[in-house]
Amino acid sequence: MNTNVIQIHKNECVNAQVESYLSFRPLVEYLKQRLKTEKSVKSEFYRFLLEKIQKDEVLLSSISAKELVKYKDTLELIFTILTPLMDNEDDFFWALSTPVPNEIFFSTNAFYKFFKDHDPKNKVSKDTDPVEKKQLKFVYNIILDRFYNFTSVLKNEIIYGHINEETKLTQYYNIQTNTKFVDIKYKNSLPELNFEELGQAFQNDSELEYLFDRIPLSNFVFEGFSIISITDVTLQHSIDGIRDALVNHNYQTEAYDHVIQALKSLSGNGSLEFGLMPFLTVNNKLVFDHKEFTQSKLINSAKASDLEEEVFYSLVDKYKENPRAIFVTAINEDQILKDPFLRVLKEAGVCSYSVLPVYYNTQLAGVLEVYSEQEIVIDDKLLSRLRPAMPLIGQLFQYNIEDFDAKMDEVLMDKFTALQPSVQWKFNEAVWRFLQKNNGKNKISEIETVTFKHMYPLFGAIDIRNSTIERNKALKDDLTVLLNSLTQALKEIKKIVSLEITDKILFNCKDWTKRIGNLSSSNEENQLNEFLTVEVYPFLSIIKANYPKTAEIVDEYFQVIVPETGAAFANRRQLEISMQMINTEVSQFLEKSQTNLQASYPCYFAKFRTDGVEYDIYIGQAISPEKPFDLLYLKNIRLWQLTSMVEIARLSKGLIGEMPRPLETTQLIFIHSNAIDISFRNDERRFDVEGAYNIRYEVVKKRIDKVLVKGTSERLTQPHKVAMVYFNPDEAKEYLEYVKYMQVQGYFNDDLEQLELDELQGVSGLKAMRVGIKYIENKKETAKKLKPKELESIEKEIASMMQN
């Protein structure tokens, strides 16, 4: 035991908050009361201590902490009475202090060493209050409890953390103060308190100001001593840390970092590392290549070693059939022969590796990895420390799985279905009514048709100019390369192998080369493919197999016709890349614009990929019944429609310098002023118009892209212009005002045309306005450069399209 005086706040100047005296009189009073009721052998021990304290009268009055060094034997008796006999003082953190803890005058060796070894600055506490404020809280806490029977939410405890020098892990301790042997005297009459006001003060964090005004501390005297005990709460704190990560953080990287750090503290072994691997699935097949949802050593090591995904998936599928704990103390060649996946871990520097299955509601949710660069034996002691965390990790994995599935559904709904948040509310109502009608019924009724009445439609189309012509030209150019390469190969083969069939195929090649320039139908293209597939390729394969000297010639030709990389597909690849660049840029622009449009007033916005991009917009009161609709919102969206067409034209023009094959776009708007009704077609999973008159709107919309200016062979849609089609001149007035405004604002040239259009099948009386787009000449146009990864992604998609 230690009688050295420890100054708790040795580096801080702390003023006395309340009058207090160090004394053992409260203990004496306690022992006298116990002797009246205690009938066991303990009574003799209590009597002995009582007599000993009373013999030293100085202990019954105010005494300084430094004087108590003379009474070590009495203090040891007090320690024996106040602590369990089973506790070893070398392992037990326990001490006696002044009534308001400031000086510690008696402590166990363990406590004294703890206090000397640890810097108080390492204390982990949520509050940053100064010492004097904390002491005030401590004092008032006791007063409220003793005199007002008011238990504060504030506890006389401190959570203290420090880095263990050996393990390099944070350990946590709970420092508690027991004031059982502190008597409090009040000099005057005790003031009354309004507990409702006091409770409000605690909520506002102004309780000290409130109490200081009503209960002056100058009227109180503290006498006695306090007991301070320290408990290692690292395990509980680590578990709380994991729980806190679930509640207060997102369920990806941030939560994982907190959980892994908590697991390290929980293990008590600084050499251990942890990996988290939830089992995410797509179409009931496991997927792991998602950085947001996993921090697995095995996955990262497998990627670094270029382990084939099929091998990895097979390994995990096999594990799922028989989930169990796996312990590998030392990864050696014998272990690798049994489990080849261990090789990638060894290459990553892992020496020992273990896997623990993690469950959520009895379902396997993933695995917890425990690994180290040293040989580590996973024993029952470590497993027992980790066991309380396993249900929480299971819950974390379930959150990961649900969040991943939600993201999949969100993208699926956004990219592949017509259902949008602006209209989903009505589908929810329809589903609810469907469930109500069919609750408990054997006969299932049909779900109602979701309809929005009196909606104002807007249609726009951004088309790639002469896309069909460009496709045919690219095809002809590629076929020319293919046939020239084939002709050259056949000539080289002829020098090595003398076969008459070679001349026959060579003749056909030259004939097809002449016909390529006039290739006008898909039937002729099919005939050429049949010639290559049936005659040429079998011939080349046989020649290569029987005449090894021709192998290099044949292989070079087959490299030419590889869709992903071959020269015979280069022009088509370039064209598709150029078209993808335009469509991607236009789609991204419309996606961003849609957010702003929805913020002004909810609308249904659907875009469609053709050779370019088309979009439908429907806006009206029915789509948002709780928000009053005004034609102002319709005018706003119509003005946006014009300005967006200009912005899109400028964007596509800016891409020309980056395109492998330069392409231009045309911009078209169909003006329709009358409201229409739209319904969701359950069989086709899309919205469509209702009624004969409304269907006419759809017919016109689908045919105007190729309409000609009346009496000419000129297409209405032209690059660098915005065309607006309408029936009634009154419909065009509003747009005409917008055009004039935009000409002043520098969007359009002063070249507005009023045009009549040729009749279309079933459609007559169409008119149009057309105006030139003003490009920003005084500002250096910089083409939008795609990032390498974006370009690589487009090229892969194109290659896949070519292959299919």
Side-chain angles (χ1 to χ4, degrees), residues 68-164:
L68 288 171
V69 68
K70 304 173 187 177
Y71 305 96
K72 183 177 181 182
D73 55 342
T74 303
L75 296 176
E76 287 182 347
L77 284 173
I78 294 173
F79 168 76
T80 304
I81 285 180
L82 299 181
T83 61
L85 291 175
M86 295 292 291
D87 288 331
N88 184 338
E89 72 107 355
D90 289 330
D91 301 321
F92 187 40
F93 301 102
W94 188 92
L96 301 178
S97 78
T98 50
V100 178
N102 186 36
E103 291 180 309
I104 293 171
F105 55 84
F106 184 73
S107 59
T108 62
N109 292 335
F111 187 100
Y112 186 79
K113 184 177 185 302
F114 178 91
F115 196 90
K116 288 297 183 184
D117 289 349
H118 302 138
D119 187 346
K121 292 180 181 177
N122 290 337
K123 184 174 63 178
V124 177
S125 179
K126 291 184 178 179
D127 65 85
T128 56
D129 293 338
V131 173
E132 290 189 0
K133 186 174 182 180
K134 291 176 185 176
Q135 281 201 354
L136 273 176
K137 288 183 178 181
F138 175 86
V139 169
Y140 275 119
N141 216 17
I142 301 172
I143 291 173
L144 290 172
D145 183 45
R146 295 280 182 90
F147 294 98
Y148 296 94
N149 197 28
F150 182 91
T151 304
S152 169
V153 292
L154 302 172
K155 295 182 179 179
N156 290 330
E157 64 179 28
I158 295 171
I159 300 299
Y160 172 88
H162 80 102
I163 305 297
N164 186 298

Side-chain angles (χ1 to χ4, degrees), residues 471-525:
R471 285 185 190 279
N472 289 336
K473 185 176 185 304
L475 174 62
K476 291 177 181 179
D477 291 344
D478 282 341
L479 292 179
T480 300
V481 172
L482 182 149
L483 291 169
N484 287 340
S485 299
L486 178 58
T487 300
Q488 185 62 33
L490 291 171
K491 289 179 179 179
E492 294 295 325
I493 290 172
K494 188 176 178 182
K495 294 177 182 178
I496 301 171
V497 182
S498 179
L499 292 173
E500 290 187 7
I501 190 66
T502 307
D503 291 326
K504 163 67 167 57
I505 296 174
L506 192 57
F507 172 80
N508 289 342
C509 283
K510 292 179 179 178
D511 181 54
W512 272 110
T513 302
K514 295 176 183 177
R515 294 167 60 183
I516 285 299
N518 298 319
L519 196 67
S520 58
S521 69
S522 58
N523 184 47
E524 289 180 298
E525 184 183 347

Side-chain angles (χ1 to χ4, degrees), residues 483-686:
L483 291 169
N484 287 340
S485 299
L486 178 58
T487 300
Q488 185 62 33
L490 291 171
K491 289 179 179 179
E492 294 295 325
I493 290 172
K494 188 176 178 182
K495 294 177 182 178
I496 301 171
V497 182
S498 179
L499 292 173
E500 290 187 7
I501 190 66
T502 307
D503 291 326
K504 163 67 167 57
I505 296 174
L506 192 57
F507 172 80
N508 289 342
C509 283
K510 292 179 179 178
D511 181 54
W512 272 110
T513 302
K514 295 176 183 177
R515 294 167 60 183
I516 285 299
N518 298 319
L519 196 67
S520 58
S521 69
S522 58
N523 184 47
E524 289 180 298
E525 184 183 347
N526 291 335
Q527 290 176 8
L528 173 57
N529 288 332
E530 183 179 352
F531 162 66
L532 295 171
T533 304
V534 176
E535 293 188 44
V536 176
Y537 298 155
F539 167 77
L540 292 176
S541 298
I542 294 171
I543 289 295
K544 177 183 175 181
N546 293 326
Y547 302 93
K549 291 183 179 180
T550 66
E552 184 177 350
I553 300 170
V554 174
D555 288 342
E556 285 181 0
Y557 170 73
F558 278 117
Q559 287 178 5
V560 170
I561 61 173
V562 174
E564 296 88 346
T565 57
F569 285 86
N571 291 286
R572 280 171 286 181
R573 283 200 306 271
Q574 290 176 355
L575 176 62
E576 291 299 333
I577 289 173
S578 296
M579 295 177 71
Q580 286 274 26
M581 288 174 69
I582 290 176
N583 289 337
T584 299
E585 189 72 11
V586 171
S587 293
Q588 289 178 352
F589 175 85
L590 292 175
E591 286 293 333
K592 292 177 182 177
S593 298
Q594 183 184 174
T595 304
N596 295 330
L597 291 177
Q598 299 288 0
S600 61
Y601 193 90
C603 59
Y604 180 79
F605 193 120
K607 57 184 176 64
F608 312 94
R609 185 72 64 89
T610 56
D611 272 350
V613 177
E614 297 179 357
Y615 64 80
D616 278 317
I617 303 176
Y618 298 102
I619 187 170
Q621 184 66 71
I623 213 163
S624 185
E626 296 181 359
K627 184 174 182 178
F629 176 74
D630 191 275
L631 289 178
L632 172 70
Y633 298 117
L634 177 61
K635 292 179 179 179
N636 179 68
I637 206 169
R638 285 173 172 170
L639 180 58
W640 167 85
Q641 193 178 25
L642 273 174
T643 57
S644 66
M645 285 298 188
V646 175
E647 294 296 339
I648 288 171
R650 289 173 176 175
L651 285 172
S652 60
K653 185 174 184 290
L655 286 172
I656 288 178
E658 291 295 308
M659 294 182 199
R661 291 175 75 98
L663 298 173
E664 295 180 317
T665 60
T666 62
Q667 292 69 225
L668 173 67
I669 291 171
F670 179 36
I671 303 172
H672 188 85
S673 298
N674 296 324
I676 63 176
D677 299 338
I678 59 172
S679 296
F680 189 79
R681 295 190 180 276
N682 297 334
D683 53 346
E684 299 180 16
R685 295 291 191 271
R686 66 179 181 86

Side-chain angles (χ1 to χ4, degrees), residues 32 78 182 198 232 242 259 331 349 400 402 423 514 520 568 601 605 632 680 803:
K32 288 178 180 180
I78 294 173
V182 176
L198 178 59
D232 188 337
I242 297 174
V259 170
I331 300 178
N400 295 156
E402 291 173 358
V423 297
K514 295 176 183 177
S520 58
Y601 193 90
F605 193 120
L632 172 70
F680 189 79
Q803 201 167 20

Side-chain angles (χ1 to χ4, degrees), residues 280-287 404-405 408:
L280 310 175
T281 60
V282 174
N283 296 331
N284 295 320
K285 294 182 180 179
L286 289 166
V287 292
F404 176 77
D405 291 343
M408 289 284 293

